[in-house]
């Protein structure tokens, strides 16, 4: 019985420690990134390249994914404003028939952005991969990330810890009830971002350098 009680105490201590770490990570990342992200184009600096962070164009039920649409809209607005010259679309292409970068590129082209101004990163499996590869593969030391606010917070945090001067242009938010699952998952993702920095986690794939003239 004593052993069981001790195990319960250890479990509770670990649970509390884990909870406090998640709270700390979320508060810290949000606070650190806040000066560098905005919903207003006027507050975004002029930078050569923006990175659109990937997500699927469609939901699991086959319906349109608002996260995807709003990111494409934001990238289009930023390009038309003259704040950026080129765009990296970074996402998952690990399974045949599933290609986030290609989906994003086609929709950007449909919005009038020249194809030669769009560069595809097919190995953006995680936000960390998209961030680090923007520097290591595409040679960009100063970028604007395009995604929803909660996502940009994490991307900017990761970027600054990898020597990248980073900003975030926030795409329109999704209804808090429709995006409840994503928002809840983000609490854990921000904690994981800290662990990735502490343990020097690298992108899954490297590859040949891609020059953006």
């Amino acid at each position: 019985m004593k052993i069981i009680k001790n195990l319960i105490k250890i479990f509770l201590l670990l649970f509390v420690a884990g909870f406090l770490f998640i709270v700390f990570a979320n508060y810290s990342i949000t606070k650190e990134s806040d000066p560098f992200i905005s919903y207003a184009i006027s507050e975004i600096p002029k930078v050569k390249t923006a990175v659109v962070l990937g997500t699927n164009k469609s939901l699991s039920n086959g319906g349109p994914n608002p996260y995807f649409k709003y990111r494409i809209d934001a990238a289009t607005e930023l390009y038309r404003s003259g704040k950026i010259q080129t765009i990296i679309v970074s996402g998952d292409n690990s399974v045949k028939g599933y290609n986030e970068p290609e989906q994003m590129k086609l929709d950007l082209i449909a919005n009038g952005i020249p194809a030669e101004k769009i560069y595809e990163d097919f190995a953006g499996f995680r936000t960390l991969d998209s961030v680090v590869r923007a520097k290591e593969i595409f040679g960009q030391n100063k970028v604007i990330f395009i995604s929803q606010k909660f996502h940009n917070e994490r991307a900017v945090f990761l970027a600054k810890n990898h020597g990248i001067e980073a900003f975030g242009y926030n795409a329109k938010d999704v209804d808090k009830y429709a995006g409840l699952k994503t928002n809840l998952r983000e609490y854990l993702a921000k904690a994981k971002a800290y662990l990735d920095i502490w343990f020097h986690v690298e992108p899954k794939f490297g590859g040949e350098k891609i020059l953006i003239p």
Side-chain angles (χ1 to χ4, degrees), residues 89-93 99-105 120-122:
V89 285
S90 182
D92 192 347
N93 180 218
N99 194 329
E100 291 176 355
E102 186 68 17
Q103 290 173 339
M104 290 189 284
K105 181 177 181 178
E120 294 171 280
D121 176 12
F122 297 106

Side-chain angles (χ1 to χ4, degrees), residues 4 13 31 51 68 157 206:
I4 294 176
L13 286 172
K31 184 178 180 181
V51 178
F68 179 94
F157 169 80

Side-chain angles (χ1 to χ4, degrees), residues 81-140:
S81 75
K83 288 294 181 82
I84 55 173
Q85 302 171 37
T86 56
I87 299 173
I88 298 170
V89 285
S90 182
D92 192 347
N93 180 218
S94 59
V95 179
K96 187 176 180 179
Y98 183 81
N99 194 329
E100 291 176 355
E102 186 68 17
Q103 290 173 339
M104 290 189 284
K105 181 177 181 178
L106 290 173
D107 276 37
L108 288 171
I109 291 172
N111 283 355
I113 297 178
E116 66 271 18
K117 298 294 185 180
I118 306 170
Y119 295 80
E120 294 171 280
D121 176 12
F122 297 106
F125 304 121
R126 298 176 50 207
T127 304
L128 173 71
D129 297 55
S130 297
V131 168
V132 176
R133 286 173 59 82
K135 178 182 179 181
E136 300 299 330
I137 302 300
F138 294 91
Q140 303 305 298

